[in-house]
Amino acid sequence: MKPREINLDRLGKLTAAIGLGSTAASALAGVGDPLGVFAGGIFATGNFYLIRTLVSRLITPAAGRRSTAFLLFAKFLLLLALITGVLFKLPISPASFGFGATAVVLAIVLEGMVLGTVIPDHPADEAR
């Protein structure tokens, strides 16, 4: 398997597209709860962009590490509360929500194995 360069912009867009595609497939096939799949896809896409923003801030030399670490912890608590609220207050299926939330995992696999740009003359290729 060739090492590939991941494009984070494309990964975010792919996550959103997979979430929307899964929602449409759920609605057309009559399997699962399309609203739950959609909510999970929105959650996955939003979480991806939040993590990307906070990690970018964390690795920036001028940024305050403590404030960014606090924001990461606050993001975790906020998303935990959001998931809890969505699952208990909205009439959606938890399994469908979970399926929609896995859009980011599928996007990462596709980007890493198919869509990413092959890195030429990688040292790992020479060892084989």
Side-chain angles (χ1 to χ4, degrees):
M1 187 159 135
K2 300 268 185 184
R4 296 180 181 268
E5 184 175 328
I6 303 298
N7 182 326
L8 292 178
D9 290 326
R10 184 173 51 214
L11 185 61
K13 291 173 186 171
L14 186 59
T15 300
I18 290 171
L20 288 174
S22 297
T23 300
S26 174
L28 291 173
V31 177
D33 175 21
L35 180 61
V37 175
F38 182 71
I42 294 282
F43 168 78
T45 303
N47 192 36
F48 172 78
Y49 281 109
L50 277 172
I51 289 172
R52 181 178 177 190
T53 301
L54 290 172
V55 169
S56 294
R57 182 176 168 177
L58 189 64
I59 62 175
T60 302
R65 300 232 189 267
R66 286 187 183 175
S67 65
T68 304
F70 174 76
L71 287 174
L72 278 167
F73 182 69
K75 180 204 79 72
F76 171 75
L77 291 178
L78 177 70
L79 290 176
L80 185 62
L82 180 66
I83 291 172
T84 303
V86 164
L87 292 178
F88 284 108
K89 297 297 182 184
L90 292 180
I92 62 172
S93 163
S96 294
F97 180 86
F99 178 76
T102 61
V104 71
V105 175
L106 183 56
I108 290 169
V109 170
L110 283 173
E111 180 70 21
M113 296 182 75
V114 178
L115 300 173
T117 308
V118 175
I119 300 172
D121 300 319
H122 192 270
D125 291 339
E126 295 173 8
R128 292 181 193 182

